[in-house]
Amino acid sequence: MSAGGTGPAETDRGEKSGVRTALAGLTTRGRSFLAAGIAAAVCAYVLGQNDLLRVGLLLAALPLICAAVLFRTRYRVAGSRRLSPARVPAGSEARVHLRMDNVSRLPTGLLMLQDRVPYVLGPRPRFVLDRVEPGGRREVSYRVRSDLRGRYPLGPLQLRLSDPFGMCELTRSFSAYDTLTVVPRVEALATVRFSGEAKGYGDGRQRSLALAGEDDVIPRGYRYGDDLRRVHWRSTARYGELMVRREEQPRRSRCTVLLDTRGIGYEGAGPDSAFEWAVSAAASVLVHMLERGFSVRLLTDTGSSVPGEGSDGFAGGQETADAAGLMMDTLAVIDHSDGTGLSRAYDVLRGGNEGLLIAFLGDLDEDQAATVARMRRRSGGGVAFVLDPDTWVREPTDVPAPGSRHEERLRMLREAGWTALSVPRGGALNELWRRADRERSGLAAVSGEAL
């Protein structure tokens, strides 16, 4: 049997290997027939019963003949797999479509189709396919679901071929894999305006003069929708095509999302843990700010940023969908770091002009709280969501003690200019998001900042 599509089936490795493979494929029924035949032949030899010997030889030969015929069967089968969708949020289902095509001139026998999937996605799917006519195809599908984000391989696809008597079963595997990416859950957020954002044209854009003066204007080619009043006739005559003035250029506001991944900053594991809440919240903010037109960067405590296509590490514009997909793929596999501090992230932010800084932080000691406090000077505005370690490790009914270390860390951040909020166990991000907007608006009103 040969295969295509998702990859060729495993080939024979010599006559000895073929014999071992065929014998290893004997089912319980086949082994029982073989054992009974051998026992009958031995008894017939001892007792001198020729009729019993013939029966024994028939019983022993039947499974061997079935194994040999099945092993020599050469079906040409092509298989393919399609994921719908290939990227799915945690807790949601994806459907896997399998297709088998008989590309030979002979019909197939009974085929048992099996796909290998990780145990976290559910049980291993198995299907029985009836006789497939020459040039025919069969399509089946199954669902997978995971509450844990990550990248999960699907495959290889396996075919189990059986003889009509059920004496032997042989398995052939395709070689190709597909990958299902389970990304963090994303929560829709309300549209708010924090200080530090740009104002003017669009939610995430501001306009700046490129050059002043008619002689210094830099023209560009006309695009559909451009105002005809901006046509630059001198450049049009020079280049022989319609050119427009580029007097005002949209400049996107920047937003950096800082995700603390330090292993010592979080306790617990699983889909309801504090770290998973922080990852999901960071993904929600990244998607929300990209949709608002911001140039966005994901930064971790290790100092690494995603994406890094641009020279400044920010992504947005026409590649918004690609940037969102890249960052979601990164968050799908992100894990705890071995670091103990946030100094590397601070070094990245030392360049300034970072725009709005939104941080999701685990438990902080005094030194790390001071480092985060200094980050505020490098941004136009700062909003920090600090997970309360006490409420995440205790029962939800327990009440944290007043004046705790966690409250002291929040006070340090607020004194440095952060809008710092405590995140209790199971806190709703959208409610915290609105609360941060209200607190930031109140702080700006007291300090006289423009909103």
Side-chain angles (χ1 to χ4, degrees):
M1 180 180 64
S2 62
T6 58
E10 295 178 355
T11 58
D12 304 339
R13 298 180 181 177
E15 190 66 26
K16 294 182 179 180
S17 177
V19 172
R20 288 195 298 266
T21 301
L23 294 179
L26 290 176
T27 62
T28 302
R29 179 184 299 178
R31 296 175 187 273
S32 299
F33 268 67
L34 182 60
I38 294 175
V42 172
C43 292
Y45 176 78
V46 173
L47 300 176
Q49 297 291 330
N50 293 331
D51 293 338
L52 182 59
L53 178 60
R54 285 191 290 269
V55 173
L57 292 177
L58 177 62
L59 292 176
L62 181 59
L64 296 178
I65 293 174
C66 291
V69 172
L70 187 63
F71 184 77
R72 293 298 180 182
T73 301
R74 289 294 180 264
Y75 295 142
R76 296 184 60 205
V77 181
S80 62
R81 183 190 298 104
R82 178 172 57 88
L83 304 181
S84 179
R87 183 189 291 120
V88 63
S92 301
E93 291 185 344
R95 183 167 288 275
V96 183
H97 300 269
L98 304 177
R99 173 175 168 174
M100 301 302 301
D101 294 89
N102 183 11
V103 296
S104 67
R105 297 181 179 180
L106 297 176
T108 69
L110 187 67
L111 299 177
M112 286 173 284
L113 184 64
Q114 176 178 277
D115 205 8
R116 299 185 61 180
V117 300
Y119 72 95
V120 297
L121 297 182
R124 180 172 296 182
R126 295 180 174 90
F127 306 94
V128 177
L129 304 180
D130 294 331
R131 174 181 177 274
V132 183
E133 65 279 3
R137 69 168 181 263
R138 297 290 185 270
E139 295 184 4
V140 293
S141 65
Y142 63 93
R143 293 178 295 180
V144 291
R145 180 181 182 273
S146 174
D147 292 327
L148 299 175
R149 54 187 177 80
R151 292 173 62 87
Y152 300 101
L154 301 179
L157 195 61
Q158 295 178 331
L159 283 178
R160 296 174 62 192
L161 186 64
S162 177
D163 67 280
F165 300 102
M167 297 290 180
C168 183
E169 289 182 353
L170 295 180
T171 301
R172 291 293 183 267
S173 297
F174 295 89
S175 59
Y177 293 80
D178 287 287
T179 301
L180 175 69
T181 303
V182 180
V183 299
R185 286 186 289 263
V186 174
E187 182 178 347
L189 301 179
T191 301
V192 299
R193 179 177 290 279
F194 297 116
S195 65
E197 299 183 15
K199 306 157 183 72
Y201 180 76
D203 276 342
R205 299 177 177 87
Q206 61 184 1
R207 301 171 81 89
S208 62
L209 293 178
L211 291 171
E214 179 69 17
D215 295 334
D216 296 329
V217 71
I218 301 178
R220 62 167 174 81
Y222 175 82
R223 299 172 186 169
Y224 179 78
D226 284 338
D227 191 348
L228 292 178
R229 292 175 295 182
R230 296 174 54 197
V231 173
H232 191 253
W233 298 109
R234 183 181 303 174
S235 299
T236 299
R238 178 180 178 183
Y239 293 102
E241 60 177 322
L242 203 59
M243 307 292 290
V244 296
R245 294 188 301 270
R246 202 165 45 170
E247 296 162 340
E248 292 180 329
Q249 301 182 30
R251 187 176 62 190
R252 290 179 173 271
S253 296
R254 291 181 171 183
C255 175
T256 297
V257 177
L258 172 62
L259 175 61
D260 180 10
T261 64
R262 296 172 301 126
I264 62 174
Y266 302 90
E267 294 187 21
D272 296 327
S273 64
F275 181 67
E276 293 301 320
W277 188 97
V279 173
S280 178
S284 301
V285 172
L286 286 169
V287 172
H288 176 73
M289 302 307 282
L290 280 171
E291 290 176 348
R292 289 189 55 190
F294 278 71
S295 294
V296 178
R297 174 178 61 182
L298 171 62
L299 180 66
T300 66
D301 58 286
T302 61
S304 60
S305 60
V306 178
E309 297 94 341
S311 58
D312 54 4
F314 288 84
Q318 298 177 352
E319 299 80 15
T320 296
D322 295 337
L326 180 59
M327 285 186 283
M328 294 299 285
D329 288 346
T330 301
L331 290 175
V333 297
I334 200 168
D335 202 355
H336 291 295
S337 69
D338 297 330
T340 58
L342 298 165
S343 58
R344 293 184 179 178
Y346 173 74
D347 292 339
V348 175
L349 296 171
R350 292 181 65 179
N353 194 24
E354 301 298 332
L356 182 63
L357 177 59
I358 301 176
F360 295 92
L361 307 169
D363 189 21
L364 301 173
D365 57 24
E366 185 174 359
D367 292 337
Q368 302 314 316
T371 301
V372 176
R374 292 195 300 270
M375 293 180 183
R376 175 61 182 84
R377 309 172 197 167
R378 308 297 178 181
S379 62
V383 181
F385 298 90
V386 186
L387 280 76
D388 186 353
D390 295 330
T391 61
W392 283 93
V393 297
R394 290 200 310 257
E395 292 298 326
T397 54
D398 295 341
V399 179
S404 63
R405 188 184 71 168
H406 177 68
E407 292 296 332
E408 177 65 21
R409 304 296 179 258
L410 291 176
R411 185 187 62 81
M412 291 178 59
L413 298 183
R414 288 165 182 160
E415 291 179 350
W418 283 89
T419 300
L421 280 77
S422 174
V423 179
R425 180 179 179 181
L429 176 61
N430 193 37
E431 295 180 4
L432 295 170
W433 187 255
R434 292 177 178 273
R435 179 182 165 191
D437 175 47
R438 292 193 298 268
E439 292 192 7
R440 187 63 192 174
S441 300
L443 178 62
V446 172
S447 61
E449 293 183 16
L451 295 177

